PDB file of all heavy atoms in Angstrom:
ATOM      1  N   LYS A  56       3.948 -16.511  -2.237  1.00  0.00           N
ATOM      2  CA  LYS A  56       4.692 -15.867  -3.241  1.00  0.00           C
ATOM      3  C   LYS A  56       4.402 -14.346  -3.241  1.00  0.00           C
ATOM      4  O   LYS A  56       5.298 -13.561  -3.502  1.00  0.00           O
ATOM      5  CB  LYS A  56       4.282 -16.430  -4.631  1.00  0.00           C
ATOM      6  CG  LYS A  56       5.011 -17.680  -5.039  1.00  0.00           C
ATOM      7  CD  LYS A  56       4.524 -18.127  -6.399  1.00  0.00           C
ATOM      8  CE  LYS A  56       4.952 -19.538  -6.713  1.00  0.00           C
ATOM      9  NZ  LYS A  56       6.265 -19.627  -7.226  1.00  0.00           N
ATOM     10  N   VAL A  57       3.145 -14.013  -2.967  1.00  0.00           N
ATOM     11  CA  VAL A  57       2.789 -12.597  -2.903  1.00  0.00           C
ATOM     12  C   VAL A  57       3.416 -11.925  -1.679  1.00  0.00           C
ATOM     13  O   VAL A  57       3.971 -10.853  -1.706  1.00  0.00           O
ATOM     14  CB  VAL A  57       1.225 -12.379  -2.869  1.00  0.00           C
ATOM     15  CG1 VAL A  57       0.871 -10.968  -2.727  1.00  0.00           C
ATOM     16  CG2 VAL A  57       0.660 -12.992  -4.135  1.00  0.00           C
ATOM     17  N   ALA A  58       3.314 -12.649  -0.533  1.00  0.00           N
ATOM     18  CA  ALA A  58       3.777 -12.031   0.748  1.00  0.00           C
ATOM     19  C   ALA A  58       5.243 -11.943   0.863  1.00  0.00           C
ATOM     20  O   ALA A  58       5.763 -10.967   1.399  1.00  0.00           O
ATOM     21  CB  ALA A  58       3.207 -12.893   1.888  1.00  0.00           C
ATOM     22  N   GLY A  59       5.971 -12.923   0.354  1.00  0.00           N
ATOM     23  CA  GLY A  59       7.457 -12.883   0.388  1.00  0.00           C
ATOM     24  C   GLY A  59       7.984 -13.291   1.750  1.00  0.00           C
ATOM     25  O   GLY A  59       7.237 -13.724   2.622  1.00  0.00           O
ATOM     26  N   PRO A  60       9.328 -13.166   1.946  1.00  0.00           N
ATOM     27  CA  PRO A  60       9.941 -13.692   3.168  1.00  0.00           C
ATOM     28  C   PRO A  60       9.655 -12.950   4.430  1.00  0.00           C
ATOM     29  O   PRO A  60       9.703 -13.528   5.520  1.00  0.00           O
ATOM     30  CB  PRO A  60      11.422 -13.676   2.820  1.00  0.00           C
ATOM     31  CG  PRO A  60      11.553 -12.639   1.755  1.00  0.00           C
ATOM     32  CD  PRO A  60      10.276 -12.602   0.989  1.00  0.00           C
ATOM     33  N   ASN A  61       9.332 -11.632   4.357  1.00  0.00           N
ATOM     34  CA  ASN A  61       9.078 -10.869   5.606  1.00  0.00           C
ATOM     35  C   ASN A  61       7.646 -11.058   6.068  1.00  0.00           C
ATOM     36  O   ASN A  61       6.829 -10.155   6.043  1.00  0.00           O
ATOM     37  CB  ASN A  61       9.357  -9.399   5.361  1.00  0.00           C
ATOM     38  CG  ASN A  61      10.821  -9.083   5.391  1.00  0.00           C
ATOM     39  OD1 ASN A  61      11.615  -9.912   5.904  1.00  0.00           O
ATOM     40  ND2 ASN A  61      11.225  -7.960   4.969  1.00  0.00           N
ATOM     41  N   THR A  62       7.324 -12.255   6.451  1.00  0.00           N
ATOM     42  CA  THR A  62       5.925 -12.587   6.692  1.00  0.00           C
ATOM     43  C   THR A  62       5.867 -13.496   7.966  1.00  0.00           C
ATOM     44  O   THR A  62       6.735 -14.310   8.146  1.00  0.00           O
ATOM     45  CB  THR A  62       5.351 -13.360   5.502  1.00  0.00           C
ATOM     46  OG1 THR A  62       5.437 -12.570   4.392  1.00  0.00           O
ATOM     47  CG2 THR A  62       3.854 -13.755   5.712  1.00  0.00           C
ATOM     48  N   ILE A  63       4.856 -13.262   8.763  1.00  0.00           N
ATOM     49  CA  ILE A  63       4.563 -14.146   9.839  1.00  0.00           C
ATOM     50  C   ILE A  63       3.172 -14.711   9.587  1.00  0.00           C
ATOM     51  O   ILE A  63       2.201 -14.002   9.387  1.00  0.00           O
ATOM     52  CB  ILE A  63       4.578 -13.425  11.237  1.00  0.00           C
ATOM     53  CG1 ILE A  63       6.004 -12.863  11.477  1.00  0.00           C
ATOM     54  CG2 ILE A  63       4.188 -14.372  12.340  1.00  0.00           C
ATOM     55  CD1 ILE A  63       6.101 -11.953  12.688  1.00  0.00           C
ATOM     56  N   VAL A  64       3.091 -16.051   9.625  1.00  0.00           N
ATOM     57  CA  VAL A  64       1.795 -16.716   9.364  1.00  0.00           C
ATOM     58  C   VAL A  64       1.258 -17.249  10.703  1.00  0.00           C
ATOM     59  O   VAL A  64       1.959 -17.946  11.411  1.00  0.00           O
ATOM     60  CB  VAL A  64       1.899 -17.813   8.280  1.00  0.00           C
ATOM     61  CG1 VAL A  64       0.623 -18.472   8.073  1.00  0.00           C
ATOM     62  CG2 VAL A  64       2.444 -17.246   7.010  1.00  0.00           C
ATOM     63  N   VAL A  65       0.030 -16.919  10.952  1.00  0.00           N
ATOM     64  CA  VAL A  65      -0.658 -17.451  12.112  1.00  0.00           C
ATOM     65  C   VAL A  65      -1.746 -18.453  11.555  1.00  0.00           C
ATOM     66  O   VAL A  65      -2.624 -18.013  10.872  1.00  0.00           O
ATOM     67  CB  VAL A  65      -1.373 -16.349  12.959  1.00  0.00           C
ATOM     68  CG1 VAL A  65      -2.048 -16.941  14.201  1.00  0.00           C
ATOM     69  CG2 VAL A  65      -0.344 -15.311  13.356  1.00  0.00           C
ATOM     70  N   ASN A  66      -1.641 -19.715  11.906  1.00  0.00           N
ATOM     71  CA  ASN A  66      -2.474 -20.698  11.240  1.00  0.00           C
ATOM     72  C   ASN A  66      -3.332 -21.390  12.280  1.00  0.00           C
ATOM     73  O   ASN A  66      -2.865 -21.959  13.253  1.00  0.00           O
ATOM     74  CB  ASN A  66      -1.513 -21.729  10.565  1.00  0.00           C
ATOM     75  CG  ASN A  66      -2.195 -22.538   9.495  1.00  0.00           C
ATOM     76  OD1 ASN A  66      -1.548 -23.339   8.857  1.00  0.00           O
ATOM     77  ND2 ASN A  66      -3.485 -22.397   9.340  1.00  0.00           N
ATOM     78  N   ALA A  67      -4.619 -21.288  12.020  1.00  0.00           N
ATOM     79  CA  ALA A  67      -5.561 -22.009  12.912  1.00  0.00           C
ATOM     80  C   ALA A  67      -5.490 -23.494  12.666  1.00  0.00           C
ATOM     81  O   ALA A  67      -5.035 -23.934  11.602  1.00  0.00           O
ATOM     82  CB  ALA A  67      -6.972 -21.484  12.635  1.00  0.00           C
ATOM     83  N   THR A  68      -5.999 -24.289  13.553  1.00  0.00           N
ATOM     84  CA  THR A  68      -6.099 -25.709  13.355  1.00  0.00           C
ATOM     85  C   THR A  68      -6.976 -25.897  12.061  1.00  0.00           C
ATOM     86  O   THR A  68      -7.916 -25.204  11.858  1.00  0.00           O
ATOM     87  CB  THR A  68      -6.799 -26.382  14.550  1.00  0.00           C
ATOM     88  OG1 THR A  68      -6.115 -25.974  15.697  1.00  0.00           O
ATOM     89  CG2 THR A  68      -6.814 -27.869  14.438  1.00  0.00           C
ATOM     90  N   GLY A  69      -6.565 -26.915  11.271  1.00  0.00           N
ATOM     91  CA  GLY A  69      -7.317 -27.136  10.078  1.00  0.00           C
ATOM     92  C   GLY A  69      -6.469 -27.972   9.115  1.00  0.00           C
ATOM     93  O   GLY A  69      -5.413 -28.375   9.472  1.00  0.00           O
ATOM     94  N   CYS A  70      -6.999 -28.232   7.923  1.00  0.00           N
ATOM     95  CA  CYS A  70      -6.306 -29.066   7.000  1.00  0.00           C
ATOM     96  C   CYS A  70      -4.864 -28.587   6.769  1.00  0.00           C
ATOM     97  O   CYS A  70      -3.886 -29.356   6.854  1.00  0.00           O
ATOM     98  CB  CYS A  70      -6.980 -29.020   5.668  1.00  0.00           C
ATOM     99  SG  CYS A  70      -8.465 -30.036   5.625  1.00  0.00           S
ATOM    100  N   VAL A  71      -4.709 -27.273   6.504  1.00  0.00           N
ATOM    101  CA  VAL A  71      -3.371 -26.790   6.111  1.00  0.00           C
ATOM    102  C   VAL A  71      -2.377 -26.926   7.284  1.00  0.00           C
ATOM    103  O   VAL A  71      -1.243 -27.330   7.107  1.00  0.00           O
ATOM    104  CB  VAL A  71      -3.512 -25.303   5.668  1.00  0.00           C
ATOM    105  CG1 VAL A  71      -2.121 -24.640   5.545  1.00  0.00           C
ATOM    106  CG2 VAL A  71      -4.218 -25.218   4.348  1.00  0.00           C
ATOM    107  N   GLU A  72      -2.912 -26.634   8.484  1.00  0.00           N
ATOM    108  CA  GLU A  72      -2.040 -26.755   9.699  1.00  0.00           C
ATOM    109  C   GLU A  72      -1.568 -28.183   9.865  1.00  0.00           C
ATOM    110  O   GLU A  72      -0.359 -28.467  10.010  1.00  0.00           O
ATOM    111  CB  GLU A  72      -2.735 -26.207  10.910  1.00  0.00           C
ATOM    112  CG  GLU A  72      -2.013 -26.382  12.207  1.00  0.00           C
ATOM    113  CD  GLU A  72      -2.347 -27.639  12.864  1.00  0.00           C
ATOM    114  OE1 GLU A  72      -3.512 -28.038  12.900  1.00  0.00           O
ATOM    115  OE2 GLU A  72      -1.416 -28.265  13.418  1.00  0.00           O
ATOM    116  N   VAL A  73      -2.498 -29.112   9.835  1.00  0.00           N
ATOM    117  CA  VAL A  73      -2.236 -30.522  10.152  1.00  0.00           C
ATOM    118  C   VAL A  73      -1.246 -31.092   9.098  1.00  0.00           C
ATOM    119  O   VAL A  73      -0.305 -31.788   9.401  1.00  0.00           O
ATOM    120  CB  VAL A  73      -3.512 -31.302  10.211  1.00  0.00           C
ATOM    121  CG1 VAL A  73      -3.220 -32.791  10.164  1.00  0.00           C
ATOM    122  CG2 VAL A  73      -4.292 -30.951  11.459  1.00  0.00           C
ATOM    123  N   SER A  74      -1.536 -30.810   7.841  1.00  0.00           N
ATOM    124  CA  SER A  74      -0.775 -31.506   6.846  1.00  0.00           C
ATOM    125  C   SER A  74       0.540 -30.802   6.464  1.00  0.00           C
ATOM    126  O   SER A  74       1.444 -31.518   5.926  1.00  0.00           O
ATOM    127  CB  SER A  74      -1.631 -31.700   5.577  1.00  0.00           C
ATOM    128  OG  SER A  74      -2.300 -30.497   5.300  1.00  0.00           O
ATOM    129  N   THR A  75       0.713 -29.541   6.771  1.00  0.00           N
ATOM    130  CA  THR A  75       1.965 -28.925   6.387  1.00  0.00           C
ATOM    131  C   THR A  75       3.007 -29.103   7.544  1.00  0.00           C
ATOM    132  O   THR A  75       4.181 -28.826   7.286  1.00  0.00           O
ATOM    133  CB  THR A  75       1.846 -27.436   6.092  1.00  0.00           C
ATOM    134  OG1 THR A  75       1.192 -26.816   7.193  1.00  0.00           O
ATOM    135  CG2 THR A  75       1.134 -27.203   4.789  1.00  0.00           C
ATOM    136  N   THR A  76       2.633 -29.473   8.718  1.00  0.00           N
ATOM    137  CA  THR A  76       3.579 -29.570   9.800  1.00  0.00           C
ATOM    138  C   THR A  76       3.425 -30.873  10.556  1.00  0.00           C
ATOM    139  O   THR A  76       3.148 -30.896  11.721  1.00  0.00           O
ATOM    140  CB  THR A  76       3.461 -28.400  10.792  1.00  0.00           C
ATOM    141  OG1 THR A  76       2.067 -28.360  11.206  1.00  0.00           O
ATOM    142  CG2 THR A  76       3.858 -27.085  10.225  1.00  0.00           C
ATOM    143  N   PRO A  77       3.715 -31.999   9.914  1.00  0.00           N
ATOM    144  CA  PRO A  77       3.843 -33.264  10.681  1.00  0.00           C
ATOM    145  C   PRO A  77       5.176 -33.279  11.458  1.00  0.00           C
ATOM    146  O   PRO A  77       6.214 -33.303  10.828  1.00  0.00           O
ATOM    147  CB  PRO A  77       3.764 -34.323   9.650  1.00  0.00           C
ATOM    148  CG  PRO A  77       4.237 -33.668   8.376  1.00  0.00           C
ATOM    149  CD  PRO A  77       4.120 -32.198   8.508  1.00  0.00           C
ATOM    150  N   PHE A  78       5.119 -33.198  12.758  1.00  0.00           N
ATOM    151  CA  PHE A  78       6.347 -33.049  13.536  1.00  0.00           C
ATOM    152  C   PHE A  78       7.319 -34.188  13.183  1.00  0.00           C
ATOM    153  O   PHE A  78       6.857 -35.333  13.074  1.00  0.00           O
ATOM    154  CB  PHE A  78       6.013 -33.105  15.030  1.00  0.00           C
ATOM    155  CG  PHE A  78       7.130 -32.640  15.892  1.00  0.00           C
ATOM    156  CD1 PHE A  78       7.408 -31.277  16.021  1.00  0.00           C
ATOM    157  CD2 PHE A  78       7.925 -33.524  16.562  1.00  0.00           C
ATOM    158  CE1 PHE A  78       8.463 -30.862  16.766  1.00  0.00           C
ATOM    159  CE2 PHE A  78       9.023 -33.119  17.301  1.00  0.00           C
ATOM    160  CZ  PHE A  78       9.260 -31.747  17.417  1.00  0.00           C
ATOM    161  N   PRO A  79       8.609 -34.030  13.009  1.00  0.00           N
ATOM    162  CA  PRO A  79       9.403 -32.769  13.178  1.00  0.00           C
ATOM    163  C   PRO A  79       9.608 -32.046  11.843  1.00  0.00           C
ATOM    164  O   PRO A  79      10.660 -31.456  11.644  1.00  0.00           O
ATOM    165  CB  PRO A  79      10.705 -33.339  13.698  1.00  0.00           C
ATOM    166  CG  PRO A  79      10.872 -34.651  13.016  1.00  0.00           C
ATOM    167  CD  PRO A  79       9.476 -35.197  12.774  1.00  0.00           C
ATOM    168  N   TYR A  80       8.688 -32.111  10.959  1.00  0.00           N
ATOM    169  CA  TYR A  80       8.888 -31.474   9.652  1.00  0.00           C
ATOM    170  C   TYR A  80       7.988 -30.238   9.569  1.00  0.00           C
ATOM    171  O   TYR A  80       6.896 -30.171  10.172  1.00  0.00           O
ATOM    172  CB  TYR A  80       8.541 -32.416   8.533  1.00  0.00           C
ATOM    173  CG  TYR A  80       9.400 -33.616   8.496  1.00  0.00           C
ATOM    174  CD1 TYR A  80       8.864 -34.868   8.924  1.00  0.00           C
ATOM    175  CD2 TYR A  80      10.703 -33.612   8.074  1.00  0.00           C
ATOM    176  CE1 TYR A  80       9.647 -35.979   8.876  1.00  0.00           C
ATOM    177  CE2 TYR A  80      11.451 -34.681   8.026  1.00  0.00           C
ATOM    178  CZ  TYR A  80      10.946 -35.928   8.473  1.00  0.00           C
ATOM    179  OH  TYR A  80      11.735 -37.014   8.447  1.00  0.00           O
ATOM    180  N   THR A  81       8.312 -29.320   8.710  1.00  0.00           N
ATOM    181  CA  THR A  81       7.466 -28.163   8.385  1.00  0.00           C
ATOM    182  C   THR A  81       7.667 -27.835   6.885  1.00  0.00           C
ATOM    183  O   THR A  81       8.751 -27.927   6.373  1.00  0.00           O
ATOM    184  CB  THR A  81       7.780 -26.949   9.244  1.00  0.00           C
ATOM    185  OG1 THR A  81       6.930 -25.858   8.829  1.00  0.00           O
ATOM    186  CG2 THR A  81       9.220 -26.481   9.189  1.00  0.00           C
ATOM    187  N   SER A  82       6.610 -27.431   6.280  1.00  0.00           N
ATOM    188  CA  SER A  82       6.690 -27.065   4.847  1.00  0.00           C
ATOM    189  C   SER A  82       6.862 -25.561   4.718  1.00  0.00           C
ATOM    190  O   SER A  82       6.937 -25.034   3.600  1.00  0.00           O
ATOM    191  CB  SER A  82       5.455 -27.498   4.104  1.00  0.00           C
ATOM    192  OG  SER A  82       5.378 -28.899   4.111  1.00  0.00           O
ATOM    193  N   TRP A  83       6.842 -24.817   5.826  1.00  0.00           N
ATOM    194  CA  TRP A  83       6.853 -23.366   5.764  1.00  0.00           C
ATOM    195  C   TRP A  83       8.279 -22.843   5.790  1.00  0.00           C
ATOM    196  O   TRP A  83       9.093 -23.260   6.563  1.00  0.00           O
ATOM    197  CB  TRP A  83       6.073 -22.791   6.919  1.00  0.00           C
ATOM    198  CG  TRP A  83       4.645 -23.239   6.895  1.00  0.00           C
ATOM    199  CD1 TRP A  83       4.169 -24.444   7.324  1.00  0.00           C
ATOM    200  CD2 TRP A  83       3.514 -22.528   6.374  1.00  0.00           C
ATOM    201  NE1 TRP A  83       2.813 -24.490   7.088  1.00  0.00           N
ATOM    202  CE2 TRP A  83       2.401 -23.343   6.535  1.00  0.00           C
ATOM    203  CE3 TRP A  83       3.357 -21.251   5.790  1.00  0.00           C
ATOM    204  CZ2 TRP A  83       1.123 -22.965   6.122  1.00  0.00           C
ATOM    205  CZ3 TRP A  83       2.089 -20.894   5.443  1.00  0.00           C
ATOM    206  CH2 TRP A  83       0.989 -21.713   5.588  1.00  0.00           C
ATOM    207  N   LYS A  84       8.531 -21.842   4.851  1.00  0.00           N
ATOM    208  CA  LYS A  84       9.836 -21.255   4.887  1.00  0.00           C
ATOM    209  C   LYS A  84       9.757 -19.824   5.430  1.00  0.00           C
ATOM    210  O   LYS A  84      10.672 -19.043   5.244  1.00  0.00           O
ATOM    211  CB  LYS A  84      10.404 -21.189   3.438  1.00  0.00           C
ATOM    212  CG  LYS A  84      10.710 -22.649   2.913  1.00  0.00           C
ATOM    213  CD  LYS A  84      11.354 -22.579   1.576  1.00  0.00           C
ATOM    214  CE  LYS A  84      11.633 -24.018   1.088  1.00  0.00           C
ATOM    215  NZ  LYS A  84      12.059 -24.033  -0.293  1.00  0.00           N
ATOM    216  N   VAL A  85       8.638 -19.520   6.038  1.00  0.00           N
ATOM    217  CA  VAL A  85       8.483 -18.237   6.741  1.00  0.00           C
ATOM    218  C   VAL A  85       8.079 -18.561   8.161  1.00  0.00           C
ATOM    219  O   VAL A  85       7.632 -19.686   8.477  1.00  0.00           O
ATOM    220  CB  VAL A  85       7.378 -17.370   6.102  1.00  0.00           C
ATOM    221  CG1 VAL A  85       7.734 -16.923   4.690  1.00  0.00           C
ATOM    222  CG2 VAL A  85       6.016 -18.071   6.070  1.00  0.00           C
TER     223      VAL A  85
END
Side-chain angles (χ1 to χ4, degrees):
Chain A
K56 275 180 194 279
V57 177
N61 281 345
T62 301
I63 298 173
V64 178
V65 182
N66 198 175
T68 308
C70 285
V71 168
E72 176 267 320
V73 166
S74 44
T75 53
T76 53
F78 195 78
Y80 300 104
T81 178
S82 296
W83 299 80
K84 292 184 182 172
V85 294

